[in-house]
């Protein structure tokens, strides 16, 4: 009986579904008109051309397809598409010139209270907010190109902004020139993968209060402050690249109040601070590479039961900065380029433990101005003496099994 | 003066130590580039070596040369030549020959590894300029020491002590005062303290060029504002020049009054 009903529904839909074509000299020459005559399940095929429309409201289960990349120009007025429908899709459009506002979050595409939608192969240019998704579930955002011309944090929006949503898949997008490239707040069970987020004013990716998510194979390059993950639990971060987040207050990755996360196989290259860790517990760092950062990892208090295993620390000005005498975190089996020990029994593990916190990095923590003395002979001498007999740095903070050759290097 | 300069340069070029010094830098340059093949990393490593070594070699060489050529100097003094010419000739001779060893010794390997084709050439040039300045400064300082004492051992000891003070002890005092007065704004103070020591000044100049300044945070901003601009560059090079000029003036006073 149920199958019957199902078939009936399918047939009913397929019988009624039609394609509505929109072009400048067709009967229907605006997208709004096409939507008003459409019904659930219809496809609207928009031909190439420039459509100067905004505030386009969609509340039907329809599919918008752009043929040869038609341009929808919002003329800097307001939000362009407002979607409140399930089973909706939009692809192949170029959507540009979203209005700016200090009061309202104008977006190129606003999806609200919807389920099962896909947003693919679109181009968003000169946007305030790019794609804004609220209280929606089971969406796919793939292969979009979002660019903005954000100048400062106060009057700019986010590329892809998700709020109170779940089960979203964000893949293969490119985001640049916005405030936050990708922003998640109260978003659950979602995956962010293979995206590139660069040249954003604030963060490449920003997590707030979002649990059970994963992001992997993304690239975050040259953002104001890299990636920030805050107040979230059970997040998996792997195979990402954090690069050139370089400046007075930049980090590759900022972790704040993160519990039970997994950080694996990431690449941190030339960031001022590779990872800044604040109040994070039970986080596993495995197989990451930290290369030529100012600080590879900077701990600032309240961090317990974190584990660093099989990471590469190469040519960082400081491998680790630590501001307390107490250590409850474990460092084991990492590769440290500054390790000077030996391996007499030839088992690949150094016979002398390595102490990643230098006295100078402790001093710099106390008085930041002392950084002026970086690379001076005196600093080398005090570092050496501290290494021989630690007084200021936590006594048990050491890697007892430093490996002699790099671990799984990508190069 | 040129005649004296010529004599002392040729004298030094015949000496074994100039060659040893030259070959040392040559070997260092080649080994560094052979080991990591990355010019920008090599520049950083080189900075550490130059900042320690050129002052040390400069002071040791200066003192040694003065004592070794003392008899010849006395012979010259008996001739109708002005003291100015004799001493400045000798000073320029030794500084130039050391600088030549440095520039050629490091220049040859870097150029042969394709320095001109990279953007590192500015950093490298700055490194050589700073190294040359350090040579001139420390030879002048050590000549002062040598002129004030006739005791070879004492003179040598003082020269080493001076090097030790400027490259290690000064930084220690600097760091201690930063820690002691950490409750006060210290950026002006650290700027001032840096300028007062030629080694620190050179180090900061190169570090800022290598874009480590982002690490420096707030102090870095102050430093970058000061040193990063064209004016700051001129100011700091002027400060380095003053570090050459003042010891030279002192030196002139000393040798004009000295009874040989």
């Amino acid at each position: 009986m149920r199958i019957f009903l199902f078939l009936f529904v399918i047939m009913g839909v397929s019988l009624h579904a039609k394609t509505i074509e929109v072009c400048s000299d067709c009967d229907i020459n605006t997208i709004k008109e096409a939507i008003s005559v459409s019904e659930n399940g219809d496809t609207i095929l928009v031909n190439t051309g420039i459509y100067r429309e905004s505030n386009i409201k969609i509340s039907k289960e329809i599919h918008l397809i752009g043929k040869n990349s038609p341009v929808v120009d919002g003329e800097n007025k307001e939000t362009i598409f407002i979607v409140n429908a399930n089973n909706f899709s939009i692809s192949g459009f170029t959507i540009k010139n979203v209005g700016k506002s200090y009061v309202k979050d104008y977006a190129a595409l606003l999806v609200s209270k919807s389920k099962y939608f896909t947003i693919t192969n679109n181009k968003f240019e000169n946007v305030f907010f790019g794609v804004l998704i609220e209280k929606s579930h089971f969406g796919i955002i793939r292969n979009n190109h979002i660019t903005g011309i954000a100048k400062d944090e106060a009057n700019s929006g986010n590329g892809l902004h998700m709020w109170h949503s779940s089960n979203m898949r964000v893949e293969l997008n490119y985001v640049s020139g916005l405030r936050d490239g990708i922003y998640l707040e109260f978003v659950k069970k979602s995956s962010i993968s293979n995206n590139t987020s660069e040249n954003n004013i604030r963060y490449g990716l920003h997590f707030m209060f979002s649990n059970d998510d994963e992001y992997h194979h993304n690239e975050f390059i040259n953002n104001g402050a890299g990636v920030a993950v805050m107040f979230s639990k059970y997040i998996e971060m792997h195979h990402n690249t954090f690069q050139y987040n370089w400046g007075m207050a930049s980090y590759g990755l900022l972790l704040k109040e993160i519990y039970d996360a997994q950080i694996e196989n990431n690449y941190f290259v030339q960031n001022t601070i590779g990872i800044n860790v604040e109040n994070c517990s039970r986080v596993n760092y495995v197989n990451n590479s930290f290369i030529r950062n100012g600080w590879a990892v900077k701990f600032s208090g309240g961090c317990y039961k974190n584990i660093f295993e099989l990471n590469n620390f190469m040519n960082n000005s400081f491998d680790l900065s630590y501001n307390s005498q107490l250590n409850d975190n474990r460092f084991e089996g990492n590769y440290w380029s500054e390790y000077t020990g030996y391996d007499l029994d030839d088992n690949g593990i150094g016979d002398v433990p390595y102490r990643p916190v230098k006295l100078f990095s402790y001093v710099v923590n106390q008085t930041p101005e002392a950084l002026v003395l970086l690379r001076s002979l005196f600093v080398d001498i005090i570092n050496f003496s501290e290494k021989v007999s630690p007084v200021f740095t936590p006594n048990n903070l050491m890697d007892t099994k430093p490996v002699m050759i790099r671990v799984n290097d990508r190069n | 003066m040129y005649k004296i300069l010529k004599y002392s340069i040729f004298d030094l070029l015949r000496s074994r130590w100039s060659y040893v010094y030259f070959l040392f830098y040559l070997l260092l340059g080649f080994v560094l580039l052979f080991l990591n093949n990355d010019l920008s990393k090599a520049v950083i490593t080189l900075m550490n070596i130059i900042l320690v070594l050129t002052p040390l070699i400069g002071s040791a060489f200066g003192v040694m040369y003065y004592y070794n050529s003392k008899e010849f100097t006395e012979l010259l003094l008996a001739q109708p030549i002005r003291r100015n010419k004799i001493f400045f000739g000798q000073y320029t001779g030794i500084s130039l020959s050391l600088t030549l060893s440095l520039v050629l010794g490091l220049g040859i390997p870097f150029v042969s590894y394709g320095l001109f084709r990279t953007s590192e050439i500015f950093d490298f040039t700055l490194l050589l300029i700073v190294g040359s300045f350090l040579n001139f400064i420390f030879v002048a300082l050590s000549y002062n020491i040598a002129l004030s004492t006739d005791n070879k051992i004492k003179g040598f000891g003082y020269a080493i002590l001076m090097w030790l003070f400027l490259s290690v002890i000064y930084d220690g005092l600097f760091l201690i005062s930063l820690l002691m007065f950490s409750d006060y704004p210290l950026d002006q103070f650290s700027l001032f303290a840096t300028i007062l020591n030629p080694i620190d000044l050179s180090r900061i100049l190169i570090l800022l060029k290598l874009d480590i300044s982002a690490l420096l945070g707030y102090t870095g901003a102050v430093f970058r504002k000061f040193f990063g601009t064209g004016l700051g560059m001129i100011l700091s090079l002027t400060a380095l020049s003053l570090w050459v000029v003042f010891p030279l003036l002192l030196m002139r006073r000393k040798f004009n009054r000295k009874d040989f």
Side-chain angles (χ1 to χ4, degrees):
Chain A
M1 182 63 201
R2 208 178 265 172
I3 290 172
F4 250 106
L5 202 69
F6 181 70
L7 277 175
F8 188 72
V9 169
I10 291 265
M11 276 165 73
V13 168
S14 62
L15 275 176
H16 287 287
K18 56 182 187 294
T19 303
I20 302 168
E21 209 168 331
V22 181
C23 61
S24 51
D25 41 3
C26 302
D27 294 342
I28 296 171
N29 58 10
T30 65
I31 301 171
K32 270 183 190 163
E33 206 182 328
I35 290 166
S36 68
V37 300
S38 68
E39 285 165 41
N40 279 354
D42 285 357
T43 300
I44 295 175
L45 189 69
V46 181
N47 281 299
T48 185
I50 297 175
Y51 300 86
R52 294 201 169 77
E53 294 179 64
S54 58
N55 203 11
I56 305 170
K57 291 203 170 84
I58 301 172
S59 51
K60 294 168 189 165
E61 301 184 2
I62 50 174
H63 305 284
L64 278 169
I65 298 172
K67 202 173 168 190
N68 297 327
S69 197
V71 176
V72 182
D73 187 344
E75 296 181 304
N76 299 312
K77 279 187 203 151
E78 52 197 327
T79 296
I80 299 176
F81 283 100
I82 301 170
V83 180
N84 185 359
N86 298 337
N87 298 314
F88 156 83
S89 80
I90 181 168
S91 67
F93 282 86
T94 298
I95 303 169
K96 64 182 193 183
N97 301 335
V98 178
K100 273 201 174 68
S101 164
Y102 291 95
V103 191
K104 285 183 175 168
D105 293 344
Y106 288 142
L109 174 57
L110 166 65
V111 180
S112 176
K113 294 176 189 159
S114 306
K115 279 181 186 170
Y116 312 107
F117 55 92
T118 54
I119 300 164
T120 47
N121 301 320
N122 298 293
K123 246 188 182 166
F124 298 90
E125 288 169 8
N126 187 21
V127 294
F128 182 55
F129 278 79
V131 179
L132 184 53
I133 295 170
E134 48 184 44
K135 297 192 172 172
S136 298
H137 310 279
F138 302 100
I140 296 171
I141 298 119
R142 189 186 294 136
N143 231 338
N144 299 290
H145 191 104
I146 308 174
T147 53
I149 42 167
K151 296 223 165 54
D152 55 81
E153 276 185 31
N155 54 5
S156 53
N158 303 327
L160 172 57
H161 186 109
M162 290 183 271
W163 182 67
H164 268 294
S165 300
S166 74
N167 296 292
M168 309 296 294
R169 270 166 61 196
V170 179
E171 298 167 349
L172 294 160
N173 299 290
Y174 173 87
V175 189
S176 89
L178 290 131
R179 183 175 60 193
D180 288 348
I182 302 170
Y183 180 94
L184 293 88
E185 192 170 344
F186 305 109
V187 176
K188 293 186 182 71
K189 294 179 188 154
S190 299
S191 104
I192 317 266
S193 61
N194 293 300
N195 301 288
T196 304
S197 181
E198 60 181 2
N199 303 323
N200 296 297
I201 295 183
R202 199 168 62 180
Y203 304 122
L205 173 68
H206 192 173
F207 270 87
M208 294 290 269
F209 314 106
S210 298
N211 303 334
D212 301 295
D213 297 310
E214 62 167 351
Y215 66 95
H216 55 92
H217 295 94
N218 301 292
E219 272 186 53
F220 305 102
I221 304 167
N222 200 15
N223 297 298
V227 171
V229 184
M230 303 185 186
F231 309 101
S232 304
K233 291 176 201 162
Y234 307 107
I235 305 249
E236 283 183 24
M237 327 176 196
H238 56 93
H239 295 98
N240 300 293
T241 305
F242 305 79
Q243 228 168 353
Y244 308 124
N245 298 297
W246 191 256
M248 295 299 170
S250 288
Y251 358 77
L253 176 59
L254 168 69
L255 299 177
K256 192 176 167 70
E257 303 272 347
I258 301 296
Y259 302 107
D260 305 290
Q262 195 74 19
I263 300 177
E264 275 179 46
N265 291 306
N266 298 293
Y267 224 55
F268 298 85
V269 187
Q270 281 187 293
N271 305 291
T272 306
I273 300 171
I275 305 185
N276 193 18
V277 191
E278 235 179 282
N279 279 335
C280 298
S281 295
R282 301 184 298 276
V283 179
N284 296 331
Y285 302 79
V286 186
N287 236 321
N288 302 292
S289 293
F290 301 87
I291 300 165
R292 294 180 75 182
N293 300 289
W295 285 268
V297 180
K298 193 168 185 175
F299 273 98
S300 19
C303 301
Y304 306 102
K305 300 234 183 305
N306 297 297
I307 298 174
F308 282 79
E309 266 177 347
L310 303 166
N311 300 291
N312 293 315
F313 290 85
M314 285 182 286
N315 308 319
N316 304 296
S317 295
F318 300 101
D319 285 331
L320 190 61
S321 160
Y322 219 78
N323 68 348
S324 73
Q325 289 275 4
L326 199 75
N327 174 38
D328 191 36
N329 302 304
R330 194 154 60 91
F331 296 83
E332 215 167 77
N334 300 291
Y335 171 79
W336 311 87
S337 65
E338 283 189 30
Y339 181 59
T340 47
Y342 44 82
D343 177 22
L344 283 184
D345 50 7
D346 221 11
N347 61 354
I349 295 167
D351 299 347
V352 193
Y354 177 75
R355 298 182 174 281
V357 179
K358 296 177 196 159
L359 177 57
F360 187 52
S361 93
Y362 173 80
V363 169
V364 167
N365 242 327
Q366 306 288 316
T367 28
E369 286 88 356
L371 203 59
V372 169
L373 293 168
L374 183 73
R375 287 184 201 279
S376 109
L377 185 60
F378 177 73
V379 164
D380 292 343
I381 293 171
I382 59 165
N383 278 342
F384 179 75
S385 65
E386 176 75 10
K387 198 168 105 180
V388 176
S389 58
V391 180
F392 297 99
T393 51
N395 204 6
N396 59 345
L397 206 171
M398 56 187 174
D399 190 335
T400 45
K401 295 173 182 167
V403 295
M404 300 302 284
I405 38 174
R406 279 182 266 184
V407 193
N408 294 338
D409 203 357
R410 268 199 226 174
N411 291 346
Chain B
M1 182 173 150
Y2 291 109
K3 213 158 221 172
I4 310 280
L5 169 64
K6 215 169 77 184
Y7 272 123
S8 64
I9 280 203
F10 279 123
D11 182 27
L12 280 163
L13 285 187
R14 273 197 302 272
S15 108
R16 192 156 31 113
W17 290 109
S18 295
Y19 286 108
V20 171
Y21 193 45
F22 166 70
L23 284 176
F24 169 75
Y25 275 128
L26 195 71
L27 200 71
L28 179 74
F30 273 117
V31 167
L32 266 184
L33 289 168
F34 174 74
L35 282 181
N36 65 33
N37 224 333
D38 180 351
L39 286 175
S40 67
K41 271 186 211 159
V43 168
I44 295 181
T45 317
L46 217 53
M47 178 194 81
N48 286 334
I49 295 170
I50 284 187
L51 286 183
V52 174
L53 218 58
T54 40
L56 179 63
I57 301 284
S59 10
F61 238 62
V63 176
M64 244 163 55
Y65 186 75
Y66 173 82
Y67 288 127
N68 280 346
S69 60
K70 204 172 168 207
E71 281 159 16
F72 178 61
T73 314
E74 276 167 7
L75 181 74
L76 281 177
L77 285 171
Q79 310 298 315
I81 311 173
R82 294 183 54 185
R83 282 189 171 190
N84 260 348
K85 289 188 175 174
I86 297 172
F87 285 101
F88 282 132
Q90 281 185 349
Y91 165 74
T92 327
I94 183 163
S95 307
L96 272 183
S97 86
L98 284 178
T99 306
L100 210 65
S101 300
L102 173 75
V103 172
L104 287 182
L106 289 178
I108 291 171
F110 273 78
V111 167
S112 69
Y113 266 76
L115 177 72
F116 291 118
R117 274 174 279 131
T118 62
S119 56
E120 307 301 331
I121 183 149
F122 296 107
D123 295 340
F124 185 72
T125 318
L126 183 71
L127 195 68
L128 289 188
I129 290 174
V130 163
S132 314
F133 261 116
L134 286 177
N135 268 333
F136 276 86
I137 292 167
F138 278 85
V139 172
L141 287 173
S142 66
Y143 243 69
N144 270 312
I145 289 171
L147 277 166
S148 7
T149 171
D150 279 337
N151 186 338
K152 263 189 195 182
I153 304 294
K154 242 183 176 174
F156 206 77
Y158 285 146
I160 296 296
L161 203 65
M162 171 195 69
W163 169 79
L164 199 67
F165 177 77
L166 286 176
S167 64
V168 181
I169 300 168
Y170 185 90
D171 286 351
L173 296 175
F174 189 0
L175 186 64
I176 288 169
S177 48
L178 281 179
L179 289 176
M180 295 254 295
F181 299 106
S182 58
D183 293 341
Y184 300 90
L186 287 166
D187 37 290
Q188 299 289 339
F189 165 74
S190 45
L191 202 65
F192 195 65
T194 312
I195 292 175
L196 282 184
N197 181 346
I199 298 181
D200 277 348
L201 183 59
S202 321
R203 185 168 49 77
I204 287 291
L205 258 182
I206 300 168
L207 278 186
L208 284 182
K209 279 281 161 260
L210 294 175
D211 211 33
I212 257 166
S213 53
L215 291 188
L216 292 168
Y218 174 67
T219 320
V222 175
F223 270 68
R224 204 183 170 84
K225 222 167 145 190
F226 184 76
F227 291 111
T229 55
L231 181 74
M233 196 75 182
I234 292 167
L235 273 176
S236 40
L237 286 181
T238 316
L240 281 177
S241 314
L242 286 180
W243 262 102
V244 181
V245 171
F246 278 120
L248 280 184
L249 289 177
L250 195 68
M251 187 171 115
R252 192 176 76 174
R253 226 178 74 135
K254 278 218 171 101
F255 65 65
N256 276 333
R257 293 185 179 180
K258 191 173 165 77
D259 185 14
F260 282 93

